[in-house]
C-alpha cells in the first residue's frame, strides 16, 4: 500500500499522525530509519479504529514503547507504528482493598516512574524492575526482568487490543509468562493491574539503591545499546546459562564491527556509536552468535527485537 493510501487510511481517527517519522531517536540504540507513519491515538477507541483499519487494509501495525529493546533497520519500517504517549495511556490509580494495593496503570507509563511513585507511597512489588528502561506495555510484552525477578510476578491482569481489534482482559495466568517471553495474542497492551504490598520505606529505598548500584557497576549504561542482545540459553536440564559469560569465554568482549562493538564491560551488550548503522549491530550480533556456537556448540537467540520493512522478528 502506498504512503498516500496509508495516510487516507488514518483519516478522521482521533490521533496525532506524523508521516515519515524518524524512529532512531526514539530508541536506546539511537540508530535506524523512519516509520512510514507514527500514530499517537488519543483514546483506546482510536487505537481500536487504527487496528481495525490496518487489519482490513493489510497494513503492518507495530507498537513502540520506550525503544529500549528495539533495533530499527536503516531503511526504516513500513506501515503504521503506534506510540502510547497520550495522557489516556499514562493514567494510574493506587487502589487499596482488604487484599492489598492494586495499581491500575496505562501501558504508556515508564516503569521507572511507576517504581518511584510506588516508593513514595511505601509500596513495594516493582523494585525488581529498577534499572530496566521500559514502558509498562513493553515490559509486559517482553516479560522484562532479571536476577531480582520480573514483571510477571507483580501482574494480576492486562488489557490488550488484539490484532482483530477486539479488546480483551487477560489474566496473568493466561498470558503465558516465561523467561523473557509471553504467549499473548498479537496486539497492543493498553494497561495492566499490578499487585503491590506495604513495605518499610527505608528498606525499600535500600533495596532499590543496592540493585541500582550493582547494575551501574556491571553495565555500560552511558552507551547506546538495548541491554542484553541475547537470551540466556537453557542447558539440557533447563538451567539458564549466562549468554554474557559464554560470549566472554569465546574472547569476544571488545570485538568491533564498523560502528558497533561488543561492550568491553558486559559481553551481552552490543553498543553503537551515535550516527552508526543498524547493519553493523545486526552483522556483529550474527558474528557473535556464530562464534559462540563454534566455541560452545550453543545457539544464542536474539532478545532484542529487530524491525525492518516487510517483516520483523
Ligand atoms: C541499559 C539497558 C538495560 C536493560 N536491562 C534489562 C534487564 O535487566 N532486563 C530486561 O528484561 N530487559 C532489559 N533491557 C531491555 C528493555 O529494557 C526491556 O526489554 C523492556 O521491556 C523494553 O520495553 P520498551 O517499552 O522499551 O519496549 P520497546 O523496546 O519499545 O519494544 C520492545 C517490544 O515490545 C513491544 N511492545 C512495546 N510496547 C508494547 C505494548 N504496549 N503492547 C504490546 N507490545 C509492546 C514492541 O512492539 C517490541 O516488540 C535493558 C535495556 C537497556 C537499554
Amino acid at each position: 500500500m502506498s504512503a498516500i493510501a496509508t495516510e487516507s487510511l488514518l483519516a478522521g481517527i482521533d490521533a496525532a499522525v506524523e508521516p515519515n517519522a524518524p524512529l532512531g531517536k526514539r530508541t536506546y540504540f539511537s540508530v535506524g530509519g523512519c516509520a512510514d507513519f507514527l500514530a499517537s491515538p488519543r483514546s483506546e477507541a482510536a487505537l481500536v479504529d487504527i487496528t481495525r483499519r490496518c487489519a482490513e487494509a493489510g497494513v503492518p501495525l507495530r507498537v513502540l514503547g520506550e525503544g529500549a529493546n528495539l533495533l530499527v533497520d536503516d531503511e526504516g519500517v513500513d506501515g503504521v507504528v503506534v506510540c502510547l504517549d497520550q495522557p489516556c495511556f499514562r493514567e494510574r490509580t493506587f487502589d487499596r482493598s482488604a487484599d492489598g494495593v492494586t495499581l491500575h496503570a496505562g501501558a504508556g507509563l515508564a516503569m521507572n516512574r511507576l517504581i518511584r511513585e510506588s516508593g513514595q507511597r511505601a509500596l513495594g512489588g516493582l523494585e525488581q524492575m529498577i534499572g530496566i528502561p521500559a514502558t509498562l506495555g513493553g515490559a509486559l510484552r517482553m516479560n522484562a526482568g532479571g536476577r531480582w525477578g520480573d514483571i510477571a510476578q507483580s501482574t494480576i491482569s492486562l488489557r490488550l487490543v488484539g490484532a482483530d481489534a477486539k479488546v480483551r482482559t487477560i489474566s496473568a495466568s493466561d498470558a503465558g509468562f516465561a523467561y523473557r517471553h509471553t504467549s499473548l495474542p498479537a496486539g497492543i497492551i493498553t494497561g495492566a493491574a499490578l499487585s503491590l504490598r506495604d513495605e518499610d520505606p527505608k528498606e525499600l529505598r535500600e533495596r532499590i539503591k543496592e540493585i541500582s548500584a550493582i547494575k551501574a557497576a556491571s553495565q555500560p549504561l552511558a552507551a547506546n545499546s538495548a541491554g542484553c542482545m541475547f537470551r540466556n540459553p537453557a542447558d539440557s536440564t533447563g538451567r539458564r546459562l549466562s549468554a554474557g559469560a559464554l560470549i566472554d569465554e569465546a574472547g569476544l568482549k571488545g570485538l568491533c564491527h564498523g560502528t558497533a562493538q561488543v561492550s568491553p564491560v558486559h559481553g551481552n551488550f552490543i553498543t553503537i556509536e551515535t550516527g552508526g548503522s543498524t547493519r553493523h549491530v545486526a552483522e556483529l550480533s550474527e558474528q557473535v552468535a556464530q562464534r559462540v556456537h563454534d566455541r560452545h556448540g550453543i545457539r544464542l537467540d536474539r532478545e532484542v527485537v529487530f524491525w525492518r520493512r516487510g517483516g520483523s522478528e
Side-chain angles (χ1 to χ4, degrees):
M1 173 166 279
S2 72
I4 291 167
T6 308
E7 192 158 31
S8 63
L9 179 87
L10 299 177
I13 291 183
D14 188 16
V17 177
E18 183 186 349
N20 212 23
L23 291 180
K25 63 181 183 187
R26 291 175 178 265
T27 73
Y28 276 63
F29 267 127
S30 289
V31 293
C34 294
D36 287 349
F37 289 91
L38 186 69
S40 297
R42 294 194 186 90
S43 66
E44 191 180 79
L47 174 62
V48 169
D49 283 346
I50 293 172
T51 304
R52 183 182 303 111
R53 291 198 201 173
C54 285
E56 285 170 0
V59 169
L61 176 66
R62 298 173 175 86
V63 56
L64 174 70
E66 213 158 285
N69 201 41
L70 206 53
L71 183 60
V72 178
D73 193 49
D74 294 319
E75 305 305 318
V77 292
D78 43 357
V80 177
V81 172
V82 158
C83 191
L84 303 181
D85 57 358
Q86 297 287 333
C88 61
F89 298 110
R90 290 183 166 169
E91 288 169 1
R92 67 272 182 212
T93 55
F94 293 84
D95 299 325
R96 186 173 282 279
S97 72
D99 299 331
V101 176
T102 302
L103 168 57
H104 294 275
L109 279 158
M111 280 310 305
N112 278 344
R113 179 165 178 181
L114 290 175
I115 297 166
R116 192 178 62 244
E117 291 187 359
S118 302
Q120 285 161 353
R121 291 168 169 79
L123 293 170
L126 296 179
E127 63 279 9
Q128 74 279 12
M129 302 297 293
I130 196 76
I132 304 180
T135 56
L136 174 58
L140 287 162
R141 169 60 77 184
M142 304 303 303
N143 189 18
R147 59 199 253 210
W148 292 276
D150 54 29
I151 189 72
Q153 71 191 53
S154 320
T155 305
I156 301 167
S157 64
L158 57 88
R159 196 172 160 88
L160 176 132
V161 175
D164 55 2
K166 293 209 167 74
V167 181
R168 302 172 171 78
T169 298
I170 299 173
S171 68
S173 54
D174 290 334
F177 284 120
Y179 166 74
R180 301 297 84 76
H181 175 81
T182 50
S183 312
L184 291 166
I188 297 178
I189 299 161
T190 56
L194 304 168
S195 171
L196 304 181
R197 56 174 189 277
D198 291 311
E199 282 272 353
D200 177 77
K202 190 160 172 271
E203 278 177 25
L204 189 57
R205 268 198 308 276
E206 287 303 317
R207 198 150 63 245
I208 288 176
K209 233 166 100 181
E210 188 191 337
I211 298 174
S212 305
I214 293 173
K215 291 203 164 200
S218 59
Q219 298 182 352
L221 296 181
N224 303 324
S225 86
C228 289
M229 178 56 70
F230 301 101
R231 293 188 164 87
N232 290 329
D235 69 10
S236 54
T237 67
R239 190 175 59 100
R240 293 272 159 197
L241 305 171
S242 159
L246 295 171
I247 293 166
D248 195 3
E249 283 158 26
L252 301 174
K253 263 188 174 173
L255 180 70
C256 290
H257 176 69
T259 51
Q261 183 183 33
V262 178
S263 167
V265 179
H266 190 309
N268 202 6
F269 277 51
I270 291 186
T271 62
I272 183 153
E273 292 167 19
T274 302
S277 163
T278 296
R279 186 169 59 82
H280 294 153
V281 178
E283 289 172 355
L284 183 57
S285 72
E286 278 159 26
Q287 276 183 40
V288 168
Q290 184 59 53
R291 286 174 65 175
V292 165
H293 186 255
D294 293 346
R295 165 78 193 256
H296 301 287
I298 293 171
R299 286 240 161 266
L300 292 180
D301 290 330
R302 223 165 17 208
E303 180 175 318
V304 169
V305 177
F306 191 3
W307 279 2
R308 55 183 135 204
R309 289 184 180 274
S312 296
E313 62 178 56

